[in-house]
Amino acid sequence: MHFVRILFQVRQKALFLKQKQYIMKIQSTFRTITCLLFLSNLGLFLSAQDGNGTISSMGAGNATAYLNDYQSSGINPANLGWSRDGKKFHLGLGQVTFSIFSQPLEKRDIQRFFEKDYSYVLQEKLNIVNDFAEAEFNLDGALLIGGVSYQDPKWGGISFTVQEKGNWNFQLNQTASEFLFMGWNSDYFTNYIIDPTNGDTLEGYRSTDLKTASELFEGSRFTTLWRRDFTFSYGLEVLKKENYRLSFGVGVKYIKGMGIVNVRSDKGDESISGYSSLSPLFSIDYPVPSPSSRPGDGFESVGSGWGFDFGMSLLIHNKVRIGVAVTDIGSINWDGNVYQADWEAKVERIASPGLTTNNLQDILESIVISEDIYDWQGLEKMKVNLPTRFRMGASYSLNPKLDLGIDVLAPLNSEPGNLESPMLSSGVLYRPAAWVELSSGFISGGNHAFNVPLGATFSISGNWDIGIGVRDVLTLFKQTNPTVSFAFGFIRIKTGTYAAEAAMPDAESEGSL
């Protein structure tokens, strides 16, 4: 997907001080601010799939019950009804999250997704076909451009955040993998058209026993979603008793859709269709025009919509906090560069020898935007539901220095950007001193392998937090099934005194987020 390529180009050019060329392509002030923040803050890690770009609770498995202030936006807005650190005002800028999981590949193979000039030889192509068949590949990215919150024990808490989110996920069966990397060399094609002048193969074709793309690609999927959220959230503690406190919250988000692709053939389905809507920046060359075409190459939205979050938070005996939430209820109306693909046509021929690289852009154009396989038709608009999720978690405070947490995140639909299966995470938060907080645990399920995250948050002068961490520390010591990630957070400010009786019991001794 092109948004993935852009995210990595920005990161690589920042490392080599080549940001000027990228920034020249930015045609709006908003996009300029977004990219500059991305370049200057490689930060605040937590996967976009299960968190919200925070430096708190990194890997501790307690996001739904524990995340507070503006960091609870999109997670559990009810947590705005109380303060975890005894502060009223919080501000965060440029918090970036990123992770990439590749079930079939080794770490050295992942970098080839972004090496445009790398070319596979035939034997490598044969190997990678088998590697990709039935294997999971997932990439998440998020940029919290800005977040601000104010919390008061009487009136509750409010927050406003602006965030970019992107997810890129695919799983190919054996035939789809062959089509992608082997082209006309796939076993499906039995005849060839040869150039009589030089003997080169021009096309591969099959004349009998033709099958549709949905039959050939059964069990395969290729999805992506890139969105920009403007979220206002409010949470209020509605019940205060000696042994328990109850809070409710709601979040409302206006969403700008920057790109979506959904091409999938689930097992057992007979009638399959795919669709896409991508910003002009992606420069996808579809075989036919669309009534919703957006000319140019600018970075502009091609859809808009509304979403809602609802949450509940319960504190029991000042020790156990339970959180429940449903997020992303709503939809996006896509009205720019909208296309729908018909999978029911018989696949007869292909004019490609297959990819010689596993560059993400090439994969998108070869396996998704392929007139040899799909019959693409332009549409005026299309309405697609948001990736709705159910969250439930709990946090238990053993003492002022140690918390235990568990979190469950389950998809409520199969829309692009959602998890393919429920995700379970669990972990601990440990505060050896007032100025440092350490966290670790495990994450399993969703679109990832078994991960052991590790993170640290440091508090400077009690009002400024810095965080660093990785989603999977095991990847540092192994080559296979890697989850490559690294992040550093720089700008998170907190100030103002929240009433002590309304704060968490460990807030005064904690000293940091």
Side-chain angles (χ1 to χ4, degrees):
M1 182 63 211
H2 274 73
F3 86 87
V4 178
R5 180 187 173 198
I6 292 170
L7 289 178
F8 268 88
Q9 285 178 336
V10 172
R11 183 171 177 233
Q12 291 170 340
K13 291 176 183 179
L15 294 174
F16 292 96
L17 301 177
K18 293 181 179 180
Q19 37 190 358
K20 182 179 295 184
Q21 180 180 354
Y22 182 80
I23 297 173
M24 288 177 63
K25 297 180 181 179
I26 301 172
Q27 298 185 353
S28 68
T29 302
F30 190 89
R31 186 187 176 205
T32 302
I33 295 173
T34 300
C35 294
L36 286 175
L37 286 172
F38 193 171
L39 291 169
S40 59
N41 299 280
L42 296 177
L44 314 193
F45 176 82
L46 189 64
S47 169
Q49 284 286 352
D50 59 324
N52 201 32
T54 71
I55 54 177
S56 302
S57 186
M58 189 183 308
N62 56 10
T64 306
Y66 194 71
L67 289 183
N68 200 236
D69 54 77
Y70 70 83
Q71 295 181 340
S72 64
S73 175
I75 304 296
N76 185 358
N79 291 347
L80 284 164
W82 50 274
S83 175
R84 183 169 76 92
D85 61 353
K87 303 291 185 179
K88 277 191 172 185
F89 178 81
H90 295 81
L91 172 68
L93 297 173
Q95 303 181 6
V96 177
T97 76
F98 182 82
S99 71
I100 179 171
F101 165 64
S102 174
Q103 190 179 43
L105 303 179
E106 297 183 356
K107 283 190 292 186
R108 60 175 174 268
D109 295 316
I110 289 181
Q111 67 184 35
R112 294 174 183 169
F113 277 89
F114 312 97
E115 293 179 10
K116 190 70 174 178
D117 297 331
Y118 186 85
S119 181
Y120 284 111
V121 298
L122 179 59
Q123 185 58 50
E124 287 179 316
K125 291 173 67 173
L126 291 171
N127 293 337
I128 203 169
V129 164
N130 295 324
D131 287 339
F132 267 89
E134 309 299 340
E136 182 89 29
F137 184 94
N138 189 79
L139 190 151
D140 297 313
L143 168 64
L144 181 65
I145 299 171
V148 61
S149 63
Y150 179 81
Q151 295 163 274
D152 183 272
K154 182 177 181 180
W155 303 107
I158 59 174
S159 72
F160 178 74
T161 60
V162 181
Q163 187 175 35
E164 298 269 349
K165 296 181 180 180
N167 170 257
W168 196 91
N169 177 270
F170 74 81
Q171 184 176 34
L172 307 179
N173 69 4
Q174 181 72 30
T175 305
S177 185
E178 287 181 6
F179 275 31
L180 176 61
F181 291 101
M182 303 302 294
W184 58 57
N185 294 303
S186 168
D187 292 340
Y188 177 78
F189 301 103
T190 57
N191 302 286
Y192 307 93
I193 298 176
I194 306 297
D195 187 339
T197 61
N198 54 26
D200 292 341
T201 302
L202 300 178
E203 286 188 6
Y205 68 94
R206 184 186 183 100
S207 56
T208 60
D209 191 24
L210 299 179
K211 297 182 180 181
T212 64
S214 59
E215 293 176 308
L216 292 170
F217 292 176
E218 184 179 11
S220 301
R221 67 175 180 272
F222 193 111
T223 68
T224 190
L225 177 65
W226 187 1
R227 51 192 271 196
R228 179 181 298 154
D229 294 359
F230 303 83
T231 306
F232 174 83
S233 300
Y234 174 71
L236 177 66
E237 196 170 60
V238 298
L239 189 62
K240 300 180 181 180
K241 297 294 184 179
E242 181 178 356
N243 294 325
Y244 61 89
R245 296 184 176 187
L246 181 65
S247 300
F248 287 99
V250 61
V252 180
K253 61 188 70 174
Y254 175 65
I255 303 170
K256 302 293 287 184
M258 314 309 292
I260 187 171
V261 174
N262 187 21
V263 175
R264 60 191 302 152
S265 179
D266 293 327
K267 292 183 178 180
D269 288 353
E270 296 181 357
S271 179
I272 311 296
S273 64
Y275 57 83
S276 75
S277 175
L278 297 169
S279 176
L281 178 70
F282 303 145
S283 302
I284 294 295
D285 184 19
Y286 286 91
V288 295
S290 171
S292 58
S293 292
R294 297 282 181 87
D297 58 359
F299 185 64
E300 60 180 272
S301 66
V302 286
S304 62
W306 293 88
F308 301 90
D309 304 325
F310 300 95
M312 181 273 292
S313 178
L314 176 65
L315 176 65
I316 304 173
H317 292 289
N318 276 348
K319 285 288 186 179
V320 178
R321 189 171 290 278
I322 299 173
V324 177
V326 178
T327 62
D328 276 344
I329 302 172
S331 62
I332 298 177
N333 292 302
W334 300 91
D335 57 8
N337 292 332
V338 184
Y339 285 86
Q340 186 169 14
D342 179 9
W343 290 53
E344 298 312 305
K346 300 288 186 179
V347 178
E348 180 180 2
R349 62 184 64 242
I350 190 170
S352 169
L355 291 180
T356 58
T357 173
N358 57 4
N359 179 268
L360 292 178
Q361 175 187 353
D362 295 338
I363 290 176
L364 170 66
E365 294 178 347
S366 296
I367 199 65
V368 178
I369 315 302
S370 174
E371 57 183 318
D372 292 330
I373 302 174
Y374 317 112
D375 181 18
W376 284 101
Q377 298 178 347
L379 302 178
E380 290 187 1
K381 58 183 178 179
M382 175 178 289
K383 183 178 180 180
V384 180
N385 290 330
L386 294 173
T388 309
R389 299 172 180 176
F390 170 78
R391 311 184 64 105
M392 181 171 63
S395 176
Y396 176 61
S397 178
L398 287 175
N399 54 59
K401 291 183 177 293
L402 187 63
D403 291 345
L404 305 179
I406 188 169
D407 221 36
V408 177
L409 176 57
L412 297 182
N413 58 32
S414 58
E415 301 295 346
N418 217 337
L419 300 171
E420 292 297 323
S421 62
M423 176 183 291
L424 172 66
S425 57
S426 182
V428 298
L429 280 174
Y430 176 58
R431 309 174 189 89
W435 53 272
V436 62
E437 183 175 80
L438 307 175
S439 57
S440 187
F442 74 86
I443 302 173
S444 181
N447 299 341
H448 295 271
F450 181 86
N451 290 166
V452 177
L454 180 64
T457 303
F458 305 94
S459 181
I460 301 175
S461 301
N463 294 313
W464 178 19
D465 289 345
I466 296 177
I468 188 170
V470 293
R471 180 188 175 93
D472 183 35
V473 69
L474 299 180
T475 297
L476 301 176
F477 307 101
K478 66 178 184 178
Q479 279 289 335
T480 59
N481 290 347
T483 298
V484 177
S485 60
F486 175 78
F488 171 73
F490 183 67
I491 303 177
R492 174 169 164 79
I493 300 171
K494 52 189 181 181
T495 187
T497 302
Y498 190 90
E501 59 90 18
M504 287 286 284
D506 60 345
E508 293 182 0
S509 61
E510 183 177 334
S512 67
L513 281 187

